Amino acid sequence: MSLTPSADQPLYYQLADSFAEAIHQGTLKPGKRLPAIRRVAQTHQVSINTVLNAWQLLEDRGLIEARPQSGYYVRSVLPALTQPVPHRARIKDPSSEKLDLIDQVFAAQNHPDYVNISLACPQDGELYPSARLARITASLLRRNPDLIGRYALPPGSERLREEIARRALHAGMSLTSDAITLTHGCMEALQLALRAVTQPGDCVGLESPTYFFLFPLLASLGLKALEIPTDPQHGLSLDALEMLLQEKRIQALIAMPSAQNPLGCCMSRQNKQRLAKLVNTYNVPLLEDGLYDELQFDWPLSPTVKSFDSAGWVIYCTSFTKTVAPDFRIGWIAAGRFHEAIARLKAVSSMAESRLLSETLAEFLANGGYDHHLRTLRRRYAANMDEARGLIARYFPQGTRATLPRGGFVFWVELPEQVDTVAMFHRLLQEQICVTPGALYSLSERYNHALRLSCCYPFDERYS
């Protein structure tokens, strides 16, 4: 690997990342001794201190360990999850018990005194550019105090939509500002899309496991859910999906092809192309949830399914809540052939987003601060997940397995099948610790031994 001095990523970070990748790919296997520090320094033309700092970083991530008078060795790592067991797709509604459990978890996630490894919302102020946003907002108000006196009618701030269209090129999407509608977060974008493309009684295909708030969302619209097997590494089973499309069993599909919640997996470029072709061939709308797309660890970003959309059947939904400012609640939707219908629904749903906050975000995107901020987030979250996986490998029961995400800050852990993680959730609440049981992520009982863990918190002594 060639190391290049960079203000954004010091040499020791680059060196640590290259060895971390070798460990994850199995090139450096558990128990294998790392090369001598002096040899690594010579090979990569860096100082011994640079190598020592890289080794310290890998130790903090739980990937290597020092053995007295012997050197550094690759630690035992969590076994990866295997392909899901095939299951017959059945249409189901969420039970009252499932909805009650969602309410209990949501209440616990918002408790300020709990150690929270559940809520997928960073709680560390360093993870958001709060000071920068405050300065931009104050400057905008000084220069144009009338901003707070005017509606930003749909489709929303033109400047922000232009910046979104410019950034969409990074993910392979060629959009105009006129093709974008601003929304109140990603959940409103998904809700508007569902209202535009379905009718009560319709069936919507979902990944399994999937984001648990989709179940009450579908129920509130009178829609049925049908779960589709999803591979922990490769994403949605396209063979299973194609069979459902041939049988006309679903009228719409919701999927997260990149940095999927809760698995963290990313579909390959070829599979994304195939997915786009399937929904265009069968004229079934795909609601592509891109909430974590910009937090993919690999660069350049993997293209979206929307970038392969030939006839407008892919509706792309996302927001800036996971990357910039949750309280801004600014999302957006590129709806293809459904653009006009969704724009009308937005007008009668919540009318407009804040002009002041939209212009603040547009300025932040335009001045280059966002890209630097994203690079910092990606490194931080990748390191946090490595560290969390190292702690789980050390302390969780033998037989525990976990995903190895390619982006975002959540991952999926499956414990031995006799472990009931709903019971674990209730016991841990007594210790003021909040986790998210896997039972929430499916209408079946397949994941009662699983957890989704979130790594968007500062890892201090409370977490280890």
Side-chain angles (χ1 to χ4, degrees), residues 276-296:
K277 184 176 181 179
L278 282 173
V279 297
N280 278 279
T281 298
Y282 289 94
N283 296 347
V284 171
L286 163 64
L287 283 59
E288 181 178 7
D289 185 343
L291 190 58
Y292 294 91
D293 277 7
E294 291 194 296
L295 292 177
Q296 294 176 67

Side-chain angles (χ1 to χ4, degrees), residues 120-122 124-130 132-133 160 164 167 186 259 290-296 301 316 318-332 361 364-365 369-378 381 407-409 456:
C121 181
D124 184 357
E126 295 180 1
L127 297 173
Y128 290 125
S130 305
R132 187 74 172 271
L133 294 173
L160 178 53
I164 289 171
R167 294 198 59 82
C186 190
L291 190 58
Y292 294 91
D293 277 7
E294 291 194 296
L295 292 177
Q296 294 176 67
L301 297 177
Y316 188 80
T318 190
S319 84
F320 294 95
T321 58
K322 303 299 183 184
T323 57
V324 181
D327 193 56
F328 277 29
R329 299 302 301 161
I330 295 177
W332 60 275
L361 181 55
F364 183 62
L365 298 183
Y370 187 49
D371 290 305
H372 174 78
H373 172 66
L374 283 177
R375 288 192 292 271
T376 301
L377 283 187
R378 292 176 188 131
Y381 292 147
F409 46 73
C456 54

Side-chain angles (χ1 to χ4, degrees), residues 198-234:
T198 63
Q199 297 178 350
D202 281 352
C203 182
V204 178
L206 301 176
E207 297 161 312
S208 181
T210 192
Y211 177 50
F212 60 81
F213 262 114
L214 292 180
F215 298 128
L217 173 59
L218 294 182
S220 71
L221 297 174
L223 301 171
K224 307 291 185 180
L226 193 151
E227 297 179 53
I228 304 171
T230 303
D231 186 273
Q233 290 182 312
H234 306 295

